[in-house]
Amino acid sequence: MVVVMKGNAAPGDVDTIVSVVTGVGGAAFVSRGTTRTIVGLVGDVALFQTLNLGALPGVLDVIRISQPFKLVSRESHPVPSTVYVGGVPIGPDTATLIAGPCAVETPEQTLAAAWMAKRAGASLLRGGAYKPRTSPYAFQGLGEAGLKILAEVRDEVGLPVVTEVVEASDVDLVASYADMLQIGTRNMQNFSLLQAAGSCGRPVLLKRGLQATVEEWLMAAEYIAQRGNLSIVLCERGIRTFETATRNTLDVSAVPVVHALSHLPVIVDPSHAGGRRDLVVPLARAALAAGADGVIVDVHPHPETALCDGPQALMDDDLALLAEAMATIPPLLGRKPATP
Ligand code: PEP
Ligand code: MN
């Protein structure tokens, strides 16, 4: 069951809900979105129904949610949410381009990639300082030195930064540099990491686990929301199937499926889905046509020497095609480019 607060509810109104619910032995989790606060109730629903919570000050609605995910469900919040990252919107009215290197390697490489991203119309910069690699022998990322490079490049180029965090103990450090924290496919069910991200005060980009169902993905998002953070963007990045012709299989249907089930924005990563440069723009077009709220792509000034995922990194010609897709497809669906 969730209690949806009015837009103008006072903090004291939320406190009252929490104390009434905990007073009868229930638990209440407060989640703050950009426009609305939702209180998730756990415990005896029949008992909660006798409390007449709907009559308390500041309460807009009390809803019994049939889905297993409550705070992120469309039932609890029928209007699609917009998440703001350093002032840049990701939501139903816009199509947001996020671009940058797979991994931060050097200041020069990151700066060059950021300018390529900006020229292509990106409004957010991606780049990994902590890289969760399948092989322990592969480049693991620069760590905090990489975060510093990202922060410097943000200041120079003016693009807010999205970067991955792989361990709960690093969340505060990464949040002190980044505008948005990414949780990667391999960590989608790292529950302590999800909970730490829920308390970090930054928006979170949650990638779909490579073998996760949509319901498991939304339950992972619920872990973040339950810790108070509703600024979550979901990212479809391809799932593992029997097909070996592509790195992963992009599940385009996940975009409208998730939009029907959840109020959270959904973006698509065609780079990690296809794993090949020549597939990125076609998959991005498909994602935008399916109603994705944005696209996140790898770019690199010299993909042949990239320390991570060079074969899928876009260069200037492909970026021009991507920019054209971003400029032409979203307006057909009533969306405009995302600017701060
Ligand atoms: C990434 O975006 O750099 C990344 C590692 O992606 P994923 O978690 O989707 O593999
Ligand atoms: Mn990568």
Side-chain angles (χ1 to χ4, degrees):
M1 193 173 228
V2 300
V3 178
V4 182
M5 305 304 294
K6 289 179 182 159
N8 61 358
D13 297 341
V14 178
D15 296 343
T16 305
I17 303 290
V18 174
S19 65
V20 169
V21 170
T22 51
V24 296
F29 298 91
V30 179
S31 294
R32 293 188 170 81
T34 15
T35 54
R36 190 146 291 168
T37 295
I38 299 177
V39 188
L41 311 187
V42 178
D44 183 343
V45 173
L47 178 60
F48 296 154
Q49 279 169 331
T50 66
L51 298 175
N52 203 13
L53 297 171
L56 292 176
V59 174
L60 180 71
D61 208 354
V62 180
I63 310 168
R64 196 161 177 187
I65 308 286
S66 57
Q67 301 286 2
F69 38 87
K70 311 289 179 195
L71 302 168
V72 306
S73 78
R74 189 84 189 232
E75 283 172 277
S76 73
H77 197 291
V79 178
S81 294
T82 300
V83 170
Y84 291 89
V85 182
V88 174
I90 306 177
D93 302 327
T94 46
T96 309
L97 178 59
I98 308 172
C102 179
V104 174
E105 299 168 15
T106 63
E108 297 73 25
Q109 165 256 8
T110 307
L111 186 62
W115 282 120
M116 289 166 73
K118 185 150 191 176
R119 278 197 299 273
S123 42
L124 297 171
L125 173 66
R126 63 146 291 148
Y130 294 85
K131 297 304 302 175
R133 304 304 297 278
T134 301
S135 165
Y137 304 113
F139 176 58
Q140 305 284 313
L142 297 179
E144 189 173 0
L147 297 175
K148 289 190 172 137
I149 292 172
L150 284 168
E152 282 162 21
V153 170
R154 169 183 51 210
D155 293 345
E156 187 157 347
V157 181
L159 295 177
V161 163
V162 182
T163 194
E164 182 159 355
V165 58
V166 298
E167 276 188 48
S169 55
D170 288 337
V171 162
D172 289 341
L173 177 74
V174 178
S176 71
Y177 289 96
D179 300 281
M180 178 181 230
L181 269 52
Q182 175 175 323
I183 296 184
T185 194
R186 294 161 188 79
N187 270 317
M188 190 206 81
Q189 286 189 318
N190 180 338
F191 299 115
S192 55
L193 178 60
L194 297 170
Q195 288 174 325
S199 313
C200 76
R202 294 277 183 213
V204 178
L205 181 64
L206 179 63
K207 292 193 139 192
R208 180 181 184 178
L210 70 168
Q211 316 218 52
T213 64
V214 165
E215 183 170 311
E216 288 165 338
W217 188 17
L218 291 170
M219 292 306 286
E222 188 79 8
Y223 267 88
I224 301 170
Q226 193 225 24
R227 288 297 171 106
N229 188 352
L230 270 177
S231 289
I232 306 165
V233 175
L234 299 165
C235 178
E236 161 62 38
R237 47 79 69 205
I239 49 174
R240 181 162 285 178
T241 68
F242 56 82
E243 183 55 75
T244 55
T246 49
R247 185 176 178 182
N248 294 285
T249 298
L250 179 63
D251 180 9
V252 180
S253 55
V255 173
V257 167
V258 170
H259 276 155
L261 292 171
S262 174
H263 57 90
L264 298 180
V266 189
I267 68 167
V268 167
D269 179 344
S271 305
H272 288 83
R276 278 173 26 198
R277 183 171 307 119
D278 62 316
L279 298 179
V280 174
V281 172
L283 294 180
R285 291 186 187 119
L288 295 168
D293 300 298
V295 166
I296 179 167
V297 296
D298 287 4
V299 307
H300 199 289
H302 305 290
E304 64 290 352
T305 60
L307 295 179
C308 186
D309 288 347
Q312 71 196 30
L314 299 184
M315 292 178 290
D316 283 317
D317 290 353
D318 324 287
L319 277 168
L321 285 177
L322 180 63
E324 191 183 316
M326 294 295 305
T328 53
I329 300 171
L332 299 175
L333 300 165
R335 293 173 185 266
K336 50 188 187 322
T339 40

